[in-house]
Amino acid sequence: MVSFALMIPRSEHVEVILGRLKSFPAVAILGPRQIGKTTLARQVARQAAGPVHWLDLENPADLNRLIDDPLLVLDELRGMVVIDEVQRRPDLFPVLRVLADRRPRPARFLILGSASPDMIRQSSESLAGRINYHELGGLGLKEVGYHRLSRRWLRGGFPQAWLARSNEAASLWIESFVRTFLERDLPELGLRVPSAALRRFWTMLAHWHGQVWKASEFARSFGVADTTVRRYLDILTGALVVRQLQPWHENIAKRQVKSPKLYLRDSGVLHALLGIGDMHALNAHPKCGASWEGLMLESVIEQLGLSNEQAFFWAVHTGAELDLLVPRGRHRVGIEIKRTAAPKVTRSMRTAIDDLNLQEVVVIHAGRESYRLAAKVRTVAASRLDADLGL
């Protein structure tokens, strides 16, 4: 992982975290295991002023140091204190609250951990107003290079999958990650759901990728209550491996969709669960278009720095829809994602412009050039997303 840090610096994430550490006594980097949290923290530490202290709670020696009197141990540290795998000791959050309230502040805390509902609750209650969260996704297109878009699409953004010597090796790594995540990581986070049941559920979500959530259909397939499958969905969403894109509601005389759309956040995990191992299989698969949509959706959300509360989709039961709706101050921008090299203005786009009073619709496509289609519609080539999106 250290060598990877030298190969592809995640400079934009580093800049954001360093800026937030100036405003908050604690910053938490959240994301699934193996996504690169520790590597990113090392990059941040190299640019931090003053001493850096590292406590890895998977290291028995570091864990033992904090068992008897964590306040005494942490109170003596100055500069930046990095606490890795903090979900193993949620009882540390009240201690961190005491340390965060010291004046002047002799230390700031960079906390790394797998996201979970319990972790968010514990830290929010104890560190309200004192902590900022930074969700870390996989390697972005800008980080790996837009000329490697196809490889990033197929393998996903987990560093170990990206660096694998072949597509087959990448698939094997992702399969191992899925198994470990279900059998070890989720139980360690206190989520007592049989791994076989969650594996079936996650695979069913892969086949549902890009569609509106229907609890009743999932409940029927599993022979359980709607509330049970909803809990499964929230578990995987809280662990940052599934995205629930919320619907936008407008005061118009049309029946609008009110359930979220579901996406697996990493395209490599999606393809592993669907049994897709190479580009030929991907291009021939029925979920090819939905997979492309998910990749572009995650790329746009990351590039614009959107939180879950700033990204929506919009759809009405008569058929008009937008893949992504982004409120930008007093303006609204719609984004459509098309796996084509020659997108066209559709009736759905014009309906969205009129009904939602959009400033414009941006169509992200698989071609090479970005150009204007109509007065309020322009296209952006996926390979030029960073240069041409411009929202």
Side-chain angles (χ1 to χ4, degrees), residues 311-330:
F312 306 88
F313 82 99
W314 177 78
V316 296
H317 288 281
T318 54
E321 63 177 342
L322 278 175
D323 293 327
L324 185 63
L325 177 65
V326 183
R328 306 295 280 179
R330 298 175 60 184

Side-chain angles (χ1 to χ4, degrees), residues 365-378:
H365 64 97
R368 296 184 177 182
E369 301 295 332
S370 303
Y371 51 90
R372 183 160 293 280
L373 273 177
K376 287 191 173 184
V377 183
R378 63 184 173 96

Side-chain angles (χ1 to χ4, degrees), residues 94-200:
V95 174
L96 293 174
R97 181 189 63 79
V98 174
L99 298 172
D101 286 342
R102 292 175 296 176
R103 294 293 186 276
R105 291 174 179 150
R108 295 182 184 271
F109 296 89
L110 185 58
I111 302 167
L112 318 181
S114 301
S116 73
D118 284 344
M119 179 181 172
I120 297 297
R121 177 180 57 80
Q122 289 275 2
S123 59
S124 297
E125 290 175 358
S126 302
L127 288 168
R130 304 170 180 88
I131 189 170
N132 181 269
Y133 299 103
H134 183 79
E135 290 188 6
L136 183 64
L139 298 171
L141 289 173
K142 186 176 181 180
E143 292 171 317
V144 302
Y146 283 91
H147 61 291
R148 298 189 179 100
L149 192 154
S150 292
R151 176 175 165 177
R152 170 60 180 83
W153 179 23
L154 176 65
R155 295 189 179 189
F158 280 90
Q160 296 287 4
W162 170 257
L163 289 172
R165 64 184 181 276
S166 65
N167 291 336
E168 182 181 6
S171 296
L172 288 173
W173 184 90
I174 294 172
E175 175 57 37
S176 176
F177 162 79
V178 169
R179 184 170 58 252
T180 302
F181 179 81
L182 294 174
E183 295 177 358
R184 189 186 72 176
D185 294 351
L186 290 181
E188 284 184 356
L189 295 173
L191 304 172
R192 305 301 178 187
V193 177
S195 61
L198 267 182
R199 173 67 184 244
R200 285 179 54 222

